[in-house]
Amino acid sequence: MPSGVRRTALATLATSSVALAATAVASAGNAGFAPGEPHSPNAHRITDSYIFVSIFCGAIFVLVEGALIAFMIRYRRGKRARTAEGLQIHGAVRLEIIWTVIPVLILAVIGAFVFYKLPGITDAPEAAAADQTKITIEGHQFYWLFRYPNGAVSINRMVAPANQVVNEDVVGLDYDVNHSWWVTDLGGKVDAIPGMTNHTWFKAPAGDYVARCAELCGIQHALMDGVVHVVPRAQYDSFVQQRKANAAGPNLGKEEWTGVCQSCHRLDHAYVGPALGGNPLLGDVKGLTTLLRNGQGQMPPVGKNWTHAQIQALVSYTKRFAKQGGGG
C-alpha cells in the first residue's frame, strides 16, 4: 500500500477511535444508543421506530464502507505508473437498476413501519374519564409552568398520576420565544410555539422523569429543565387540592423564586442580572407586579400571565430577602 494511502488510513483509524472512545464515555442508560429508556406506550413506539431505522442505517453503513475499503484494496495503483488510467467500468445497466430499486424498497419499508407506529405515538388511548388528566404546559424564558384542571399551578415540577393517561397541552405565549418540551422517557419532543397549542400524552409508572427544553431559547436555555413527578392517584389529587387551596402560599413562591428568578439572579452577587439581596422590591407586591408583567431592559415579562395569587406567592417567599443580602 502506498505511503500516502497508509498515512490516510492510519489517521482515519485514529480519529475514529477517539470519536468512539468519547461516545463510550458519554453513553448512559441504554449505552447511549437511544434517547432514553421508554416508560410510556408512545415512548416505546418511538424507540421501536428508532431501532428499526437504525438497523437499516447500520447495514447500509457496513455495506457501503466495506465496499469502499474493498475497492481501495482491489483497485489500488500498485506498481502501475501514476499516469496510467485505472480500470474503466461502464455500461452496467443491471447494476444501476439494482442500486436504484433497493434504496426505494428500503425507504418504503421504513416509511410503512413508521406510519404503522405513528397513531400510537400521537393519539392517546381511550380511557375512562376519571382516569384522564389534562395538564397545560407553558414554556417561558427560562422555566416551565404547569396548570392543572382545578387551576393549581407549579413551576418546573409537574405532578401527575401514575399508570393513567395524562393528556398534555403544550403552549407558547405570544410575548415569548419558541421552546420545546421533551421528556425522553415519556415520548417525543413537542414544540411550544407562541400562539399555538400542541398536544401530547403519556402513561407511566411512578417515578421521576427529567424534562428538557430542546429548543435554543436564549442565554439561560441550558438551565431550562424540569421533572415530571409521577405519583399514585391519591397523592396527585392531594397535591392539586392543597396547591389550589394555598394558591398564594410560600410553597409555590419558593418554586417561583428558584425556578424563575434564580435563572438570572442571585442575592449576593451579579449573575446574568443584578444582585437582588436587600432589594425592597422583593417585598413590594405592586412593584413586583409591574416588573413581572412588563419586564425591564433585557428582562422579559416572565410573569405576564401570572395571576395575582401567583405574584402574592412569590412575595410571601421573597420578602425575607428584602431585609437581608444573604446568599442565595
Side-chain angles (χ1 to χ4, degrees):
M1 182 181 293
S3 58
V5 175
R6 187 181 298 110
R7 285 195 300 270
T8 301
L10 290 174
T12 302
L13 176 62
T15 304
S16 300
S17 299
V18 171
L20 290 173
T23 302
V25 172
S27 66
N30 51 34
F33 177 67
E37 293 289 344
H39 288 87
S40 178
N42 52 340
H44 278 287
R45 284 176 170 260
I46 291 173
T47 300
D48 291 345
S49 301
Y50 184 91
I51 293 174
F52 187 79
V53 173
S54 297
I55 290 172
F56 282 97
C57 291
I60 292 171
F61 174 81
V62 171
L63 177 64
V64 173
E65 296 304 315
L68 177 61
I69 294 172
F71 290 163
M72 288 172 60
I73 295 173
R74 175 67 178 83
Y75 298 108
R76 64 187 185 277
R77 182 171 64 86
K79 295 181 180 180
R80 287 184 290 110
R82 287 183 177 275
T83 56
E85 291 188 2
L87 180 64
Q88 301 298 305
I89 301 176
H90 58 85
V93 177
R94 180 179 300 176
L95 181 61
E96 293 176 355
I97 292 175
I98 290 173
W99 70 40
T100 300
V101 171
I102 289 179
V104 171
L105 293 177
I106 291 175
L107 291 176
V109 171
I110 292 175
F113 185 84
V114 170
F115 278 107
Y116 167 73
K117 290 288 187 178
L118 189 59
I121 296 173
T122 58
D123 302 329
E126 293 184 4
D131 292 339
Q132 299 235 7
T133 302
K134 179 174 287 187
I135 299 175
T136 299
I137 303 167
E138 295 181 0
H140 296 255
Q141 289 182 309
F142 299 96
Y143 68 95
W144 298 105
L145 187 147
F146 308 108
R147 298 190 186 276
Y148 301 89
N150 69 342
V153 171
S154 66
I155 301 290
N156 285 346
R157 178 176 175 268
M158 177 199 291
V159 179
N163 302 312
Q164 296 181 356
V165 174
V166 178
N167 288 294
E168 300 171 299
D169 285 346
V170 183
V171 303
L173 291 309
D174 290 334
Y175 51 86
D176 212 285
V177 300
N178 287 357
H179 301 280
S180 187
W181 171 251
W182 192 21
V183 186
T184 57
D185 294 347
L186 302 182
K189 294 184 286 186
V190 181
D191 290 339
I193 301 173
M196 294 185 61
T197 299
N198 291 320
H199 307 279
T200 186
W201 66 279
F202 68 87
K203 181 180 180 181
D208 288 339
Y209 304 94
V210 176
R212 303 288 186 192
C213 178
E215 181 82 17
L216 182 59
C217 56
I219 190 171
Q220 293 298 76
H221 161 73
L223 296 183
M224 191 170 168
D225 54 15
V227 63
V228 177
H229 185 50
V230 181
V231 298
R233 180 77 197 200
Q235 188 175 338
Y236 164 79
D237 290 337
S238 176
F239 167 78
V240 294
Q241 290 168 8
Q242 292 179 7
R243 181 55 64 91
K244 176 63 175 179
N246 297 280
N251 289 336
L252 175 59
K254 184 177 181 180
E255 289 181 6
E256 292 170 336
W257 170 254
T258 57
V260 182
C261 302
Q262 284 199 319
S263 292
C264 297
H265 296 279
R266 295 293 184 267
L267 289 173
D268 56 358
H269 64 276
Y271 187 43
V272 174
L276 296 180
N279 192 322
L281 190 65
L282 296 179
D284 180 1
V285 174
K286 184 177 180 180
L288 269 183
T289 299
T290 300
L291 179 63
L292 292 172
R293 290 185 174 165
N294 299 320
Q296 180 175 309
Q298 293 183 330
M299 175 181 167
V302 295
K304 188 176 181 66
N305 69 338
W306 287 14
T307 64
H308 184 64
Q310 287 177 257
I311 297 175
Q312 283 186 314
L314 178 62
V315 175
S316 70
Y317 183 78
T318 60
K319 62 185 179 183
R320 71 197 69 185
F321 303 133
K323 303 175 182 178
Q324 64 186 52

